[in-house]
Amino acid sequence: MVLKSLFGGTALLACVILSSACVPTVSQPVPPAAVPITVETTAPAAPRPEPVRARPARVQPSADLLNAVQALGSSFKGEVGISVRDIDEGWVVAWEGDRPRPQQSVSKLWVAIAVMEAVDRGRLSLSDPITVNRSDLTVFHQPIRALVGKTGYRTTIGELLRGAMTRSDNTCNDVLLWRVGGPDAINRMLSQKGVTGVKFGPGERELQARTAGLQWRPEWAGGWGFLQARAAMSYEAREKALRRYLAAPMDGASANGVTLGLSLLAQGKLLTSRSTASLLTLMRSSKTGPLRLKSGLRPGWTLAHKTGTGQDLGSLSTGYNDVGLLVAPDGHRYAVAVMIASTQQPIPARMRLMGDVTRAVVGSAR
C-alpha cells in the first residue's frame, strides 16, 4: 500500500518488516510493501513561550520512527492500531490508525474532560458533595465499592474524578458520567470540540453487559449478579456477542482520533489552562498500566495517560489499550495511542509492544 503523505503532494514510501523484539535503528526508509501505515501533516501547535531548548523543526517523522511504528504494528500478532502525533510540529505517523477499536476505560478521559468543562462553566465544582449509593455500583474494577455502605458513601466530585482517572474506578466514572448528562452529552461534546474518530459508548454497565451478550439488570449493581449470569452462558453465545462487539464496538475510537483529542487537550483547546493542568496532573498520577506505555520512558520524560482493558474469553483478550501525552525533557509533546482490539498474545507481549512504541518516540527525538 502507498504510504500517504501531504508533504507538498509528494508521496512518501517506506516499509520494513522487523521483529517486535527491538526498535529499528535504520536511518533511511526502505522500499515499500503492502502494509497499512500512514503519515500525514496536521496544523502544528502555536509556538509556546520560552522553550527549554530549541529543536530543529521537522515537517515529517524521522525514518527511524516511521520504520519502528511499521515494524511494531506489522509484527504484532493481533489487531492493533498505533498513532504517534507530534503536537508541536504537526505530523502523524500511524499503523491502521483510522479503524475504530474498543476503548474500554480509555473513554474515562472524555468523561473527565466533560467534568472539567462543567467546572470551567461554573456548573460544577470539584468540591461539590455527592453520595454514591449501592444502586450506583457497576462491574469489574471499582475500589470505591468497599466504602459504599447501606446509607451510601459521601464524597466529592473531585474525589470521584481522582478515582476514575488514577485508579480507573468504574463506579466513580459512571456516577460522573450521569452527573454531566450521560453518553449523549459526551458525544455532543466530542462533536462540538472537533474530536473526530471517537464515539462514546453507553456507560460501563450497559457496555460490559452487551459485550457479554446480556442486558443489564438493576439488581446486578455491584457486579456479582452480572458475573453469575455471564458464567451461566454457553461459550458459543459469549463468543458470538464478543465477536459482534469487536466488529462494531459501541465505544469505538480510532488511534488517530484519540491522539487528536489528546493533542487538542494539550494545546488548551478543550479546557481552560487551569483545568487542563489539573487533568494532566491526575493523568500523570495514574496507578494503572505501569508497564504499558510508561515502561518505555527515559529520564526526564513524562507521561500523562489513561489505560483501558476489556473482557477476555478463553485465550482471546480484547480492548487492551494505553493512550497518553508524552513530553520530552525539552518540553516537546507527542500524543500516543496503542489500541489492541483483540489478541491471543500474553500480557507481557502486549506491554512490551506499548513500551517499544514509547521507546521509538524517545529514540527518534534524540
Side-chain angles (χ1 to χ4, degrees), residues 281-359:
T281 295
L282 282 180
M283 294 171 68
R284 283 191 292 269
S285 302
S286 175
K287 307 299 182 185
T288 64
L291 297 179
R292 298 190 194 187
L293 286 175
K294 190 176 286 188
S295 68
L297 291 178
R298 292 294 180 266
W301 287 76
T302 63
L303 177 70
H305 72 131
K306 185 69 197 75
T307 57
T309 306
Q311 296 184 44
D312 293 346
L313 180 62
S315 62
L316 181 67
S317 296
T318 64
Y320 196 85
N321 309 320
D322 200 3
V323 310
L325 286 167
L326 188 60
V327 181
D330 65 358
H332 203 90
R333 302 168 296 174
Y334 305 86
V336 181
V338 182
M339 305 181 71
I340 302 174
S342 61
T343 186
Q344 293 184 326
Q345 289 294 291
I347 289 175
R350 293 176 243 160
M351 294 191 298
R352 176 69 183 181
L353 169 68
M354 294 174 173
D356 279 346
V357 171
T358 300
R359 280 182 278 273

Side-chain angles (χ1 to χ4, degrees), residues 135-262:
S135 60
D136 296 318
L137 296 175
T138 59
V139 294
F140 300 137
H141 190 65
Q142 45 184 336
I144 199 173
R145 175 179 176 164
L147 303 175
V148 182
K150 293 181 179 180
T151 59
Y153 174 62
R154 191 76 165 168
T155 184
T156 64
I157 295 293
E159 286 305 306
L160 290 181
L161 185 62
R162 179 177 298 278
M165 293 304 293
T166 67
R167 303 184 71 185
S168 205
D169 190 301
N170 290 335
T171 291
C172 290
N173 186 71
D174 264 19
V175 171
L176 291 172
L177 168 63
W178 293 105
R179 187 62 179 261
V180 295
D184 288 346
I186 305 298
N187 281 313
R188 282 196 302 272
M189 178 201 72
L190 292 170
S191 177
Q192 292 167 357
K193 292 184 178 295
V195 184
T196 57
V198 176
K199 179 176 66 176
F200 190 83
E204 198 66 42
R205 295 187 285 193
E206 289 290 340
L207 173 66
Q208 301 304 340
R210 294 186 204 174
T211 299
L214 296 166
Q215 289 295 319
W216 179 260
R217 298 180 182 178
E219 61 266 28
W220 290 349
W224 292 119
F226 163 76
L227 293 175
Q228 291 170 353
R230 190 182 68 168
M233 297 177 65
S234 68
Y235 182 93
E236 291 74 18
R238 282 198 59 197
E239 182 181 35
K240 181 179 180 181
L242 189 59
R243 295 292 182 185
R244 184 169 57 244
Y245 168 61
L246 291 173
M250 62 200 84
D251 62 336
S254 67
N256 281 340
V258 171
T259 59
L260 172 61
L262 288 166

Side-chain angles (χ1 to χ4, degrees), residues 5 10-11 30 47 68 79-81 83 98 130 163 249 268 270 278 280 319 340 354:
S5 176
T10 302
V30 297
E79 296 294 326
V80 63
S83 178
D98 293 324
I130 189 169
L270 303 183
S278 295
L280 292 179
I340 302 174
M354 294 174 173

Side-chain angles (χ1 to χ4, degrees), residues 62-100:
S62 69
D64 286 352
L65 180 60
L66 178 63
N67 289 340
V69 170
Q70 181 177 315
L72 293 169
S74 64
S75 61
F76 183 74
K77 296 179 181 179
E79 296 294 326
V80 63
I82 302 171
S83 178
V84 177
R85 185 179 297 265
D86 190 307
I87 298 170
D88 299 306
E89 290 175 355
W91 50 255
V92 185
V93 59
W95 174 268
E96 294 196 348
D98 293 324
R99 180 179 300 178

